[in-house]
Amino acid sequence: MKVGIIGLGFRLGYLGYVFKTLNEDFEIVGYCDPAPAGLPGLEEKGVSAGKAYATPQELIASEKLDLLMIGSPNHFHLEHIRLGLEAGLKVFCEKPVVTTIADSIELARLMAKFGHDRLMVGLVLRYSPLYKDLLAAQAKGTLGKVVSIEAAEHIYPYHGAFFMRDWRRYEKYSGSFMLEKCCHDLDLYNGVVGARPERVASFGGRRTFVPENDPRLSGVNDMSMFHSKPTGWMGTDKVFDSDADIIDYQVAIVEYANGVGMNFHTNLNVPDQFRRFAIMGTRATAEGDFVRGYLDVTEVLSNEKVIATKYEATELSQHYGADEQMAADIMEHVNGGAHLPVSTLNALEAGILALSMDEARVKKTVVDLRPIWDRFDEALHSTKAA
């Protein structure tokens, strides 16, 4: 499998190693990135990135590719996806797939023109053993009908500091923190609910990574923790005095079209991070945590725990055993059309939810998503050339 990469950052540098580990036939033949932060990590592991190209167009024109992988900053994704699809290539794009509602609708038009199967999106948590087991329990009817969901993703201070220092600190590049980091989670719960979000309210802002909370004001001079995760393009050393415009905490409530309600909470400054959920059904409640590695399902009437599964981290995966499964499935899909557990449509729906949460937060209002879905579906089923 011959692969080209647009945007060889840390994530695709890591995924290149995972793909190569699983299949020796995986070969990166070229890349385009003016500052490839992921290149040293690949080379340290003995994986070649092939030839460096000045532009994505030059890469695509010069190499015969089985797969084009996109890991460029988020705001470039639509442009790079379009290049790949127009060249007749199969394309893998890291999440989030696009950064605005307008780009979501434009990508829907591209899907109408080129089909849904040639674009794959790196919403890696769909591949995790925990999520697969949750969906299996739901499919068996163990949960009954889903009524409401409580969910959260909270990260360590060093990881929060990374977002304040990386290019992702600017919404014009990342889309937002909710979109960049939490689109994984929103996609998972969209999948469990089985309906589109219809109304959203949200609150949040910056209360931790602000100048008055700088530990040095309290005599703490060791700031190494806040710089332990390296940044790439547009990186800065500033943490509490960063020029970031993203939030560092946010809460949201969502009503889905089928009546299910969800609340979601994210915070960038938690000493013991977790990524947990409680899904309340008419027959049972499912509780789990991707970080702590467990899934418990307890029946309502009997109070009996009918599922109690523990998950161990794997040496290769950064995402709870999901990275290597995603790599294996993507390669099978490219080679033989195998089914994938997540689609571009899923990714766009999760992204639109995240962006609507941010609109609700900024405008301090309840956002009705139905007009957005009307425009989106019109584009998705358009017969006109994109």
Side-chain angles (χ1 to χ4, degrees):
M1 179 187 293
K2 295 189 180 300
V3 177
I5 292 178
I6 301 174
L8 184 53
F10 292 116
R11 177 63 180 163
L12 283 200
Y14 161 72
L15 281 182
Y17 168 67
V18 173
F19 276 70
K20 185 69 173 179
T21 299
L22 295 178
N23 188 341
E24 276 297 319
D25 291 334
F26 180 88
E27 180 187 3
I28 304 171
V29 296
Y31 70 91
C32 174
D33 191 323
L39 182 60
L42 268 182
E43 293 176 338
E44 286 172 9
K45 293 178 172 63
V47 180
S48 170
K51 182 179 177 180
Y53 288 93
T55 67
Q57 292 86 345
E58 185 182 349
L59 167 63
I60 292 170
S62 302
E63 300 287 352
K64 186 175 181 180
L65 302 175
D66 299 303
L67 178 65
L68 178 68
M69 300 184 75
I70 297 172
S72 50
N74 303 343
H75 67 299
F76 287 128
H77 285 180
L78 180 62
E79 173 189 346
H80 294 155
I81 289 169
R82 189 193 301 274
L83 287 173
L85 293 178
E86 289 179 344
L89 298 174
K90 292 187 176 181
V91 179
F92 170 87
C93 183
E94 254 306 311
K95 60 79 195 171
V97 61
V98 290
T99 59
T100 67
I101 298 293
D103 281 0
S104 299
I105 292 171
E106 180 61 20
L107 184 52
R109 292 193 184 97
L110 288 174
M111 292 169 66
K113 180 177 181 179
F114 293 105
H116 291 230
D117 291 336
R118 282 178 41 213
L119 176 59
M120 299 148 271
V121 182
L123 284 169
V124 67
L125 293 190
R126 284 262 189 163
Y127 297 83
S128 64
L130 191 162
Y131 189 66
K132 289 183 176 181
D133 290 346
L134 171 64
L135 291 187
Q138 183 182 17
K140 289 179 181 177
T142 305
L143 304 184
K145 293 182 179 179
V146 175
V147 177
S148 58
I149 298 175
E150 177 182 303
E153 183 189 10
H154 302 314
I155 62 177
Y156 287 129
Y158 86 86
H159 203 171
F162 162 79
F163 280 97
M164 295 300 143
R165 296 168 41 240
D166 190 60
W167 60 262
R168 295 166 175 85
R169 70 188 184 274
Y170 300 125
E171 288 193 356
K172 64 182 179 181
Y173 298 141
S174 64
S176 73
F177 180 82
M178 184 65 76
L179 178 69
E180 160 64 27
K181 189 70 174 72
C182 303
C183 63
H184 281 305
D185 308 80
L186 301 180
D187 170 60
L188 297 183
Y189 307 124
N190 282 355
V192 168
V193 172
R196 282 174 170 172
E198 193 162 270
R199 292 191 294 174
V200 175
S202 185
F203 309 91
R206 288 269 293 285
R207 293 176 61 86
T208 294
F209 291 100
V210 292
E212 57 263 36
N213 292 330
D214 192 320
R216 289 169 292 193
L217 297 177
S218 303
V220 177
N221 294 317
D222 185 2
M223 297 286 286
S224 59
M225 175 182 70
F226 300 108
H227 298 86
S228 58
K229 186 174 174 64
T231 61
W233 178 64
M234 295 287 292
T236 178
D237 288 333
K238 294 184 176 183
V239 179
F240 292 90
D241 54 347
S242 166
D243 62 351
D245 57 22
I246 58 170
I247 56 91
D248 60 27
Y249 82 98
Q250 189 168 346
V251 296
I253 53 175
V254 183
E255 182 181 45
Y256 285 86
N258 60 0
V260 172
M262 179 176 74
N263 63 57
F264 186 80
H265 180 199
T266 187
N267 191 295
L268 283 65
N269 186 51
V270 177
D272 188 10
Q273 70 178 4
F274 53 87
R275 198 170 203 166
R276 67 189 180 197
F277 59 84
I279 299 169
M280 290 73 164
T282 54
R283 294 182 179 177
T285 292
E287 299 176 80
D289 190 320
F290 291 91
V291 175
R292 291 175 171 85
Y294 72 88
L295 173 65
D296 294 338
V297 177
T298 305
E299 288 184 340
V300 172
L301 295 181
S302 68
N303 200 29
E304 179 184 355
K305 189 176 289 187
V306 293
I307 295 176
T309 306
K310 300 291 185 182
Y311 302 88
E312 297 293 332
T314 63
E315 185 176 343
L316 188 58
S317 181
Q318 294 178 349
H319 291 96
Y320 333 113
D323 288 299
E324 59 266 55
Q325 186 63 59
M326 181 181 75
D329 287 3
I330 291 291
M331 286 188 285
E332 285 189 16
H333 179 79
V334 172
N335 290 327
H339 174 73
L340 297 176
V342 64
S343 68
T344 305
L345 180 59
N346 298 145
L348 287 169
E349 290 175 338
I352 287 172
L353 174 55
L355 291 164
S356 298
M357 287 177 173
D358 286 308
E359 180 184 352
R361 173 180 57 83
V362 171
K363 292 183 177 179
K364 300 185 185 300
T365 189
V366 175
V367 171
D368 183 355
L369 278 77
R370 285 171 294 188
I372 298 174
W373 296 129
D374 288 344
R375 287 159 39 214
F376 180 79
D377 287 336
E378 182 181 2
L380 191 65
H381 302 294
S382 172
T383 58
K384 297 180 181 179

